[in-house]
Amino acid sequence: MRDPRYDILFEPVQIGPVRTRNRFYQVPHCNGMGHVHPSAMARMRAIKAEGGWGVVCTEECEISPLSEFSPYIEARLWDKRDIPALARMCDAVHRHGSLAGVELAFNGYSAPNRTSREIPWAPSNTPVRGYDPVQARAMSRADIKQLRELHRAAALRARDAGFDIIYVYAGHDLGLPFHFLTQRNNRRTDEYGGALFNRVRLLRELIEDTRDAVGDRCAVAVRLAVDEQQGCAGLTRDSEGVEVFSMLAELPDLWDINVADWANDSVTSRFAPEGYQEAFLTGLKALTSKPVVGVGRFTSPDTMASLVRRGVLDLIGAARPSIADPFLPNKIDQGRTDEIRECIGCNVCVSGDHTSTPMRCTQNPTMGEEWRRGWHPEQVPVRRAEGRALVIGAGPAGLECARVLGARGLEVMLAEATRTLGGRVASESRLPGLASWSRVVDYRVDALSRLGNVEIYRESRLEVQDVLDIEASHVFVATGSRWRNDGLGRVLRQPLPGLENLPVFTPDDVMAGAVLPSPVVVFDDDHYYMGSVLAESLIARGVEVLYVTPAADVAPWTHNTLEQHRIQRRLLELDVTIITSHTLCSLTPYGVQAACTYTGRPRFIPAAGVLLVTSREPEQGLFDALQAEPRGVQQVIQIGDCLAPGTIAAAVYSGHRFAREFDAPPGLLRMRRELVALEDWPAP
Ligand code: ADP
Ligand code: SF4
């Protein structure tokens, strides 16, 4: 039964002409599926509605090729042919009693129009965001008129697709109305520039146009960034942010408030706690009678209820928490709050958008697979196989595998060599800023404790004979991986010469508490979080760090998780010496011999030791031995890092996938896809 403290979260809220059944609001978020994988997108959204989200929105939705977001894959409503794909989402969301929202977007200088080759529009002449060699041109009055017509027409198409809430997008320093708002982007001298009243004009007109076009049937929402978190260089809440809000307070039916840019809106847990946007939201509700939604990676129902009670928000906005657990509202409703699969704030989901691929999630391995593989986050197929399953290793892969096998009804033994469950996650979540990552373990250990058919054996390092003695029918080897200590990785394809000359350490050593000499060279050829996080950890232990990377910047893959600039800034603030574009050539007793990756010019870096963060080696000895064993078990399957070292998300996915599919007939393992429909091709 639901805890009465959370009743307030299940109250309906009137939003203009529509009414949402509760306060759970999935704000617009990208997903790497959009117009390219429309059924996958629709199914993913439908599952959130099924899981209790009262409102489920699209990602940004292009309204015209005059502003298209390629290579990023978003929704699209360029013309009426785009309606059926989005109608599919609306129908599916409606079937569960939820409202569907669409974030109409025209992104001006933030979209270089790589596909359409249209010249981007902006308030004033300006280079586009990013490094494309493209300049946006200042819009004429005729352009502004055309934009208003495009937006109006798209709103009508959105209504016809079945949407209940239609956005005017002025967020993230992406939407053109936001560009008009901000002084640094708007140098116009006409009625759309100068005083704030004029800079707000376009946003006001778009809200009015949308209301006029669809307001009888659809709610009009505005997504507004009230602060850019760059001080006086950008919009701040106290300078003009609140003023803009006040000027338009009663105009839309709903305010969706956040901060810009996206990296500030979706900060990872390494850099900000749950609820980090509250200071920007507080007080806004007093300025309007319209409902306000905001975000802050909310996963705690107490925090959510408190935000509503304290009058900060009317609706609890979520992107990532709804990705990690599409059934979060239902779990609160049913008194199952301890079953919530809490977002860990890693932003692996964001990487889907950045790499133009279907989104994935560390906590929710079914994310992005709902339609194409038919996976449901809360349901697994009943077992087809008979016999007992043995899972060896309780890292993220083994825990997830045991959880799914147990849920499928198999009798499962999970054996872990150490006392601690969680494998690499147990170690990594003790590193600076990564404490929330332990939720990967917490969720699964808790779920396993509810399954009467899964037994966990700690301090049970299994050898081949132990496995044979257990006589399990299906053995899943999830023994993980270890970091290499010879430098082999992306750049070095042979062991580093001179390893005997200097103390050499690996991330495993540091996480196990090894004492490192100072100064130490951290050689990061991994390019994700590990090198920088260990540098932080060493600094905290009083070790001087010289960070060397073959890449041009620190941890470049973290551009995909919106963290790169924060990571590099943090290392600089900690006085880490950063040496980019250099690789290691050899170790000497007095330091490392490095070379510039462009010129080959040598550079000697004095150091007392080196920490190699390069690549990992699968721990597959047990698997190989079991394969070679003539008395073998029925089925031995390698999963997770033991199969191929990767992200935690990949390990969880691997454990989930093999547990779900190991006994499926081949025909059932189809991955569905959608094909481009061919247009007429007239003879030349
Ligand atoms: P993954 O990311 O694939 O889950 P991890 O490295 O996080 O891999 O976890 C592997 C786990 O397997 C560790 O907790 C480790 O202690 C355990 N392990 C390794 N070898 C054995 C073994 N022979 N028997 C039982 N557990 C093992
Ligand atoms: Fe949260 Fe990470 Fe999943 Fe994104 S990928 S929803 S940040 S757990």
Side-chain angles (χ1 to χ4, degrees):
M1 290 304 287
R2 182 164 88 207
D3 185 326
R5 284 179 302 161
Y6 307 140
D7 286 352
I8 196 168
L9 298 173
F10 294 87
E11 293 168 351
V13 178
Q14 192 69 32
I15 310 175
V18 298
R19 194 175 169 84
T20 168
R21 62 184 158 126
N22 61 33
R23 297 183 188 269
F24 294 94
Y25 191 111
Q26 181 245 277
V27 293
H29 72 73
C30 322
N31 51 85
M33 293 183 264
H35 70 274
V36 175
H37 306 286
S39 293
M41 197 278 274
R43 179 77 182 132
M44 178 267 288
R45 304 287 188 201
I47 281 186
K48 297 203 202 188
E50 183 191 346
W53 296 89
V55 177
V56 179
C57 298
T58 61
E59 58 280 12
E60 290 179 289
C61 179
E62 300 169 356
I63 65 172
S64 157
L66 291 178
S67 181
E68 50 83 15
F69 312 149
S70 59
Y72 308 109
I73 301 170
E74 315 296 341
R76 187 167 274 182
L77 266 177
W78 289 4
D79 60 47
K80 66 179 187 335
R81 292 173 305 168
D82 295 310
I83 293 176
L86 288 169
R88 178 164 289 188
M89 166 189 154
C90 293
D91 292 346
V93 166
H94 288 159
R95 269 199 289 280
H96 296 288
S98 300
L99 300 176
V102 61
E103 184 179 59
L104 299 184
F106 192 98
N107 284 359
Y109 84 83
S110 298
N113 290 336
R114 290 173 179 171
T115 297
S116 69
R117 300 176 67 178
E118 296 290 346
I119 308 244
W121 285 350
S124 308
N125 293 321
T126 181
V128 296
R129 223 175 129 98
Y131 297 119
D132 285 56
V134 172
Q135 281 212 183
R137 69 173 172 79
M139 291 170 77
S140 65
R141 285 199 180 87
D143 294 330
I144 293 176
K145 184 163 175 286
Q146 192 188 345
L147 169 72
R148 291 178 60 185
E149 282 159 10
L150 288 171
H151 200 277
R152 182 189 173 87
L156 289 167
R157 288 193 290 275
R159 180 199 63 192
D160 293 347
F163 285 105
D164 310 284
I165 300 175
I166 298 184
Y167 270 73
V168 178
Y169 181 47
H172 295 129
D173 190 24
L174 292 176
L176 181 70
F178 187 81
H179 301 156
F180 270 78
L181 280 181
T182 41
Q183 258 169 328
R184 71 169 188 287
N185 291 316
N186 185 339
R187 303 186 306 278
R188 299 177 75 94
T189 51
D190 63 3
E191 68 275 23
Y192 288 93
L196 184 61
F197 183 82
N198 284 348
R199 284 183 274 124
V200 167
R201 188 181 305 275
L202 179 65
L203 177 56
R204 180 193 297 276
E205 287 174 345
L206 291 175
I207 301 169
E208 286 169 350
D209 292 345
T210 311
R211 282 196 84 123
D212 183 56
V214 300
D216 56 330
R217 233 181 68 194
C218 308
V220 178
V222 172
R223 199 174 211 193
L224 176 72
V226 290
D227 197 296
E228 294 186 270
Q229 300 202 315
Q230 43 178 280
C232 54
L235 182 80
T236 68
R237 185 183 187 281
D238 296 332
S239 59
E240 294 187 332
V242 172
E243 224 179 319
V244 174
F245 185 89
S246 308
M247 288 164 91
L248 304 174
E250 294 301 314
L251 212 49
D253 298 310
L254 170 74
W255 283 103
D256 180 343
I257 301 297
N258 61 8
V259 293
D261 54 6
W262 188 14
N264 289 329
D265 186 23
S266 294
V267 190
T268 57
S269 57
R270 185 172 168 188
F271 294 98
E274 178 176 354
Y276 56 90
Q277 294 200 27
E278 188 173 328
F280 299 98
L281 300 165
T282 304
L284 294 179
K285 245 181 69 54
L287 305 173
T288 178
S289 65
K290 308 295 174 156
V292 177
V293 59
V295 293
R297 220 173 55 241
F298 302 123
T299 58
S300 151
D302 291 313
T303 305
M304 297 175 196
S306 153
L307 285 163
V308 178
R309 269 198 202 96
R310 288 184 290 122
V312 180
L313 293 175
D314 299 287
L315 296 149
I316 302 300
R320 290 170 292 176
S322 75
I323 294 166
D325 196 342
F327 277 64
L328 181 149
N330 280 4
K331 288 177 183 174
I332 298 174
D333 192 24
Q334 294 158 6
R336 298 190 291 134
T337 50
D338 41 2
E339 292 178 45
I340 293 173
R341 202 168 38 240
E342 289 184 284
C343 166
I344 70 165
C346 62
N347 279 6
V348 161
C349 48
V350 173
S351 74
D353 185 63
H354 280 239
T355 56
S356 301
T357 49
M359 174 168 60
R360 60 212 60 197
C361 168
T362 302
Q363 275 285 55
N364 175 8
T366 66
M367 180 46 61
E369 309 294 345
E370 300 87 346
W371 180 78
R372 68 175 185 176
R373 289 190 202 276
W375 289 3
H376 189 283
E378 300 296 314
Q379 295 160 16
V380 288
V382 174
R383 70 185 160 86
R384 289 184 198 85
E386 295 298 326
R388 212 149 39 121
L390 169 65
V391 179
I392 308 170
L399 287 173
E400 177 68 3
C401 182
R403 184 187 77 81
V404 175
L405 291 172
R408 294 192 58 199
L410 279 99
E411 195 191 325
V412 182
M413 286 177 69
L414 171 62
E416 164 55 43
T418 66
R419 269 189 82 75
T420 316
L421 302 178
R424 59 182 287 199
V425 177
S427 314
E428 292 179 22
S429 58
R430 289 198 296 269
L431 292 170
L434 304 188
S436 298
W437 292 20
S438 63
R439 292 172 172 183
V440 172
V441 183
D442 298 342
Y443 165 72
R444 291 177 171 81
V445 171
D446 183 73
L448 288 170
S449 72
R450 294 170 211 285
L451 291 166
N453 49 335
V454 180
E455 291 205 69
I456 302 179
Y457 297 87
R458 298 173 194 242
E459 295 181 297
S460 303
R461 177 175 292 281
L462 302 190
E463 307 296 342
V464 176
Q465 192 55 49
D466 304 318
V467 178
L468 295 174
D469 291 347
I470 289 168
E471 293 185 338
S473 308
H474 319 283
V475 175
F476 297 81
V477 185
T479 47
S481 62
R482 65 178 180 284
W483 286 91
R484 294 189 70 101
N485 60 4
D486 59 4
L488 230 82
R490 287 182 166 80
V491 167
L492 299 173
R493 298 292 166 161
Q494 297 294 329
L496 185 62
L499 287 165
E500 65 288 356
N501 288 331
L502 203 64
V504 172
F505 301 89
T506 69
D508 294 320
D509 298 328
V510 180
M511 288 187 277
V515 177
L516 271 65
S518 183
V520 72
V521 163
V522 174
F523 180 56
D524 188 357
D525 193 22
D526 178 56
H527 308 290
Y528 191 15
Y529 56 90
M530 186 56 82
S532 63
V533 121
L534 289 180
E536 270 189 64
S537 169
L538 291 173
I539 293 278
R541 299 183 209 181
V543 177
E544 183 189 342
V545 173
L546 306 138
Y547 175 96
V548 180
T549 175
D553 51 3
V554 172
W557 199 80
T558 61
H559 284 289
N560 295 319
T561 57
L562 303 172
E563 291 175 294
Q564 197 283 328
H565 70 290
R566 282 195 165 79
I567 292 174
Q568 189 142 350
R569 184 171 68 202
R570 180 163 288 178
L571 293 199
L572 289 167
E573 284 169 354
L574 290 172
D575 284 333
V576 171
T577 304
I578 296 174
I579 303 171
T580 56
S581 306
H582 276 73
T583 189
L584 299 195
C585 303
S586 64
L587 303 185
T588 77
Y590 308 104
V592 307
Q593 190 62 56
C596 170
T597 50
Y598 294 102
T599 62
R601 192 175 296 147
R603 173 166 175 176
F604 184 73
I605 307 168
V610 62
L611 168 60
L612 296 172
V613 188
T614 57
S615 67
R616 285 177 285 156
E617 198 59 20
E619 291 278 16
Q620 55 189 20
L622 180 61
F623 175 79
D624 291 343
L626 285 168
Q627 289 284 84
E629 177 55 51
R631 293 163 295 166
V633 275
Q634 195 179 316
Q635 197 173 19
V636 187
I637 299 171
Q638 225 176 344
I639 62 172
D641 290 326
C642 157
L643 176 59
T647 58
I648 297 168
V652 172
Y653 172 78
S654 173
H656 188 96
R657 181 172 181 189
F658 284 106
R660 210 183 246 274
E661 295 184 340
F662 80 100
D663 57 350
L668 283 184
L669 297 182
R670 198 163 59 96
M671 189 170 84
R672 285 198 281 186
R673 66 194 175 108
E674 262 157 348
L675 297 172
V676 172
L678 293 181
E679 280 287 344
D680 290 344
W681 197 30

